[in-house]
Amino acid sequence: MERQGDFSEEEFRKACAELENPASDGKAWESLVESESCNIYQMLDEQSGFYNYKAFGDFKDCSPSLYAEVYMDLEYRKQWDAYVKELYEKEICGKMVIYWEVKYPFPVSNRDYVYIRDGRDINLNGRMVRVILAKSFSTPEIPEKCGVIRVSDYRQSLVIESNGKEGCKVSMFYHDNPGGTIPSWLVNWIAKNGVPNFLQDIQKACKNYPKKT
């Protein structure tokens, strides 16, 4: 279920501006992955010590509306995302709040997220785009679990638009401070493989979407 009002118009516009240029916004973005269908950039966040990511994908067989619907469908994500341990949505204080526990490989503890999200259609320089924002949300109604580390600093934004044909272009910003102690090999794996794998998995999920007409 999607609710309006959790994010301001300024936040939507800022997300669009942040993703308009892959790595030419005056910041030290480094190219991480380059391929025909996906380009990913990273930049060290000095406050957290972890990287921020920008990803740009071209999905030739997935319309913007289908991509947005699959991304927002939490029940379906439980089927195609192998890293989901638990995922649900509930209303708290008038907001639709999402709980998401992510599987991490042994011996690293699982992480969980409590966040809100919102989607809106925006006219961006004459192009109609779908913008989806998500950010951490704190509430005592979803307490931390023993043995699971709560991620309290999470932000993601997506801009989805037509590629001029039958598919769509997706721009994504991702910031995540996973907390705790994570070995360097796992951080490197997430950087090199996590985001590309997610983009590939959601592309397959779009093709197999049961509500697809």
Side-chain angles (χ1 to χ4, degrees), residues 11-69:
E11 287 178 286
F12 278 97
R13 295 290 175 184
K14 181 179 178 181
C16 289
E18 194 169 49
L19 288 166
E20 269 290 83
N21 297 309
S24 59
D25 54 5
K27 298 179 182 179
W29 289 95
E30 304 171 16
S31 178
L32 183 65
V33 174
E34 290 188 9
S35 69
E36 183 180 350
S37 60
C38 178
N39 292 301
I40 301 172
Y41 302 85
Q42 68 178 10
M43 182 181 70
L44 183 65
D45 184 288
E46 295 182 357
Q47 287 188 329
S48 67
F50 289 90
Y51 282 93
N52 294 331
Y53 298 96
K54 287 183 180 182
F56 301 84
D58 191 351
F59 300 85
K60 294 179 172 60
D61 301 320
C62 179
S63 68
S65 59
L66 175 60
Y67 188 99
E69 186 172 359

Side-chain angles (χ1 to χ4, degrees), residues 66 69-70 73 76 204-213:
L66 175 60
E69 186 172 359
V70 169
D73 191 332
Y76 183 47
K204 294 177 183 176
C206 288
K207 292 180 179 179
N208 300 320
Y209 193 45
K211 299 179 184 178
K212 187 176 179 180
T213 57

